[in-house]
Amino acid sequence: MSKNKKTTAPNSSRRKFVKNAALALGGITIVPRHVLGRGFIAPSDKLNIAAIGAGGKGASDIANAWDNGANNVVALCDVDFARAKASTDKFPTAKKYADFRVMLEEMKNDIDAVTISTPDHVHGMAAMAAMQLGKHVYVQKPLTHNIREARMLTEAARKYKVVSQMGNQGASNPTQKQMMAWLDKGLVGKVHTVYIWTNRPVWPQGIPVPTEKPALPESMSKENWDLFIGPADYVDYHPLYHPFKWRGWWNFGTGALGDMGCHLIDPAFRVLGLGYPTEVECSVGQVFLKDWSPEYIPEGCPPSSNVQIKFPATKRNNSPVTMNWTDGGIRPFHPDLIPPGDPIGDNDSSNGVLMIGTKGVMTCGTYGLVPKVYLKNGTKLEMPPLPAPVAGTPSVPEYGHQRSWTNACKAGFNSKEHLELTSSFDYSGPLTETVLMGNLAIRSYNLRKQGANNRMEFYGRQKLLWDGTSMKITNFEDANQFVGRNYRSGWELS
């Protein structure tokens, strides 16, 4: 595959021809490229895949897309290859790049698809650049750094007719279908309240902005640090930014919500068929280093937050829904229907989801694991165990989330395989917008200005009303600055 030949869904007459040809050959379905025609890809072909962000989660994303040799890995891009040794060792013949823009330009005829596993602030820029070249994209969660970018990527995937998937692998967990079936059977009635919580952050957060200027690690040049910054406001290198700890700073990351929201909000969003919310409100934890004077760190995400998001009734759930999110290790209490000794959410209750209905409670953990239903008559339902894998068959990591994407890339845009993906941008874009609505509220909560008697007033601490179609807060204009972001010169997203 490659040479800039874009995969698209075959038309019906071509499908019919291929089907008849296969029948005539006794069921053989490997079809020569010339039979499929120009621009159509034989099922036996391999994708040529490149990774933008090859360390950390990027290492497993590209390895799972490679799928034990089902596809080729032709290029790896990272600003710090010391963090990407697992990928360079696994794919020694892949070309290496520091700048994804250079990689895409030089290899635009040799790449079919791209995995993007960078810090959050680069997701939108890298994905858009790849899609504009007709490349299929797999983008880590959260899909983007802000709401505007999520909407742009959702629309771009349709415009450029590429196959997309976000890296919230729990979306492909079979437990999600089980929870949808429980709701469809009316077991829990109409769901009106949802509680979602996480033990994140598990990195430094709510701390003062670093002022020291330590030397760059030996594995990074000044040019590579500039590439790490990308579209964000420039700051000097500090180990509180790279590696990993970028999550706690708005310049690069999206905090606890961005890290876990696309995993934990996903089950409720999917099961209840939610769409754009209508309002959001929050409060955040404070840090006191001096008596009576909380730290004010607008550059950093808070140590904890409590966010409430409201949704209208949907076709799947004929009731308005109030969703309550907490992080920083703060979780809800046991509903009356769940025995006091039972965990809620994960087996250790550290992360989870509770959907409270008129007839019962549905709960699950991270990635949709350990789903259960508790009914008012005392009945407890659990999902039957999945069939054990056939002996000698290699297991498919992450519920086949990356494999489903690569198979859909081969089948083409709007193919059956594409439409069956569990987190294409048509779904994960609106999900990400909901997750980032919480961050919009958190950042608005910390807006302040000088008021009477030279006292600082926090004037954004109010309920925010949201027009999802227009992407606009309708009752507090200053909050709309957080719908998007300002881009560093030369890194604008369009």
Side-chain angles (χ1 to χ4, degrees):
M1 207 169 287
S2 70
K3 298 306 176 188
N4 208 27
K5 291 187 178 179
K6 188 175 179 180
T7 56
T8 56
N11 59 39
S12 59
S13 62
R14 195 176 298 275
R15 285 185 186 276
K16 183 176 180 181
F17 178 84
V18 172
K19 179 180 179 182
N20 291 341
L23 290 173
L25 293 171
I28 298 174
T29 58
I30 296 178
V31 186
R33 183 187 298 278
H34 73 271
V35 173
L36 290 174
R38 180 176 175 80
F40 298 100
I41 295 170
S44 56
D45 281 358
K46 295 182 178 184
L47 294 173
N48 285 345
I49 306 177
I52 300 175
K57 192 69 183 72
S60 61
D61 284 343
I62 191 61
N64 293 344
W66 172 69
D67 197 7
N68 294 309
N71 300 295
N72 303 316
V73 174
V74 297
L76 302 171
C77 180
D78 208 285
V79 298
D80 187 355
F81 272 103
R83 311 290 305 177
K85 188 175 185 301
S87 293
T88 55
D89 286 351
K90 194 174 189 69
F91 307 112
T93 62
K95 294 182 179 180
K96 294 195 296 183
Y97 293 86
D99 190 333
F100 70 83
R101 299 168 301 180
V102 175
M103 180 189 77
L104 291 173
E105 175 60 28
E106 290 186 359
M107 299 192 68
K108 60 187 175 185
N109 294 326
D110 302 303
I111 293 172
D112 301 304
V114 179
T115 62
I116 298 168
S117 314
T118 63
D120 301 345
H121 70 297
V122 180
H123 287 185
M125 177 72 63
M128 185 65 78
M131 288 193 291
Q132 287 173 340
L133 292 173
K135 311 307 177 187
H136 307 298
V137 289
Y138 180 99
V139 183
Q140 253 309 314
K141 54 76 194 168
L143 182 60
T144 57
H145 183 264
N146 57 68
I147 294 169
R148 175 178 171 269
E149 291 178 349
R151 186 73 59 89
M152 290 178 70
L153 293 197
T154 301
E155 294 172 350
R158 300 174 192 145
K159 176 180 178 180
Y160 297 109
K161 293 181 168 49
V162 300
V163 175
S164 59
Q165 181 96 304
M166 183 174 75
N168 57 326
Q169 62 269 29
S172 294
N173 191 335
T175 57
Q176 299 256 20
K177 290 183 178 179
Q178 176 65 79
M179 288 186 284
M180 294 177 75
W182 281 334
L183 182 80
D184 291 344
K185 290 178 181 178
L187 294 180
V188 297
K190 297 177 181 179
V191 173
H192 51 81
T193 306
V194 176
Y195 295 96
I196 304 174
W197 68 98
T198 181
N199 62 355
R200 268 55 163 193
V202 291
W203 51 84
Q205 195 162 292
I207 60 174
V209 176
T211 56
E212 305 88 354
K213 296 183 179 181
L216 282 162
E218 293 183 2
S219 55
M220 291 187 78
S221 65
K222 289 182 179 179
E223 292 76 16
N224 283 14
W225 178 247
D226 191 77
L227 291 171
F228 175 92
I229 297 292
D233 292 335
Y234 189 86
V235 293
D236 290 308
Y237 165 79
H238 197 281
L240 283 174
Y241 300 137
H242 171 77
F244 182 65
K245 298 178 181 64
W246 51 263
R247 291 186 180 279
W249 304 98
W250 296 123
N251 205 21
F252 310 121
T254 49
L257 262 164
D259 183 46
M260 293 300 290
C262 290
H263 290 314
L264 291 165
I265 293 177
D266 177 29
F269 200 83
R270 187 183 307 273
V271 170
L272 303 179
L274 300 177
Y276 296 142
T278 56
E279 59 185 70
V280 62
E281 191 170 7
C282 80
S283 61
V284 304
Q286 296 178 314
V287 175
F288 286 82
L289 300 180
K290 301 176 182 177
D291 294 346
W292 300 103
S293 180
E295 294 296 296
Y296 180 64
I297 310 168
E299 301 87 350
C301 309
S304 60
S305 70
N306 181 14
V307 179
Q308 183 177 92
I309 306 175
K310 292 188 177 181
F311 301 84
T314 67
K315 292 181 180 179
R316 291 194 50 78
N317 181 63
N318 190 23
S319 171
V321 171
T322 297
M323 179 182 291
N324 301 284
W325 165 277
T326 51
D327 55 48
I330 300 171
R331 64 175 179 84
F333 301 112
H334 274 62
D336 290 340
L337 295 182
I338 298 182
D342 281 15
I344 55 174
D346 289 339
N347 287 329
D348 63 358
S349 301
S350 59
N351 304 272
V353 182
L354 290 169
M355 291 179 256
I356 313 297
T358 54
K359 296 181 181 178
V361 175
M362 191 184 309
T363 180
C364 70
T366 311
Y367 314 127
L369 292 168
V370 291
K372 304 182 189 74
V373 167
Y374 295 84
L375 302 179
K376 287 186 175 181
N377 63 8
T379 301
K380 174 182 175 181
L381 301 177
E382 300 185 59
M383 181 175 174
L386 295 172
V390 178
T393 303
S395 61
V396 181
E398 298 191 357
Y399 317 108
H401 199 58
Q402 295 89 356
R403 175 183 286 183
S404 296
W405 170 68
T406 57
N407 288 342
C409 293
K410 295 173 184 178
F413 181 80
N414 264 353
S415 63
K416 176 176 178 288
E417 292 84 351
H418 178 201
L419 297 177
E420 289 178 349
L421 288 177
T422 57
S423 204
S424 71
F425 292 177
D426 282 332
Y427 173 82
S428 58
L431 169 63
T432 298
E433 288 188 35
T434 294
V435 170
L436 299 178
M437 276 297 300
N439 282 343
L440 181 150
I442 290 169
R443 300 188 74 178
S444 299
Y445 185 88
N446 276 328
L447 288 174
R448 69 179 188 177
K449 62 184 178 181
Q450 190 167 313
N453 300 320
N454 292 323
R455 295 175 62 87
M456 299 306 296
E457 297 178 353
F458 289 89
Y459 66 106
R461 298 183 175 181
Q462 56 184 285
K463 179 186 291 186
L464 303 177
L465 306 181
W466 179 244
D467 179 346
T469 302
S470 301
M471 283 194 299
K472 185 177 178 64
I473 295 294
T474 60
N475 66 319
F476 181 54
E477 180 58 35
D478 282 6
N480 287 309
Q481 66 185 288
F482 303 120
V483 172
R485 76 171 303 162
N486 294 321
Y487 295 92
R488 196 161 62 116
S489 179
W491 289 87
E492 296 82 1
L493 182 63
S494 61

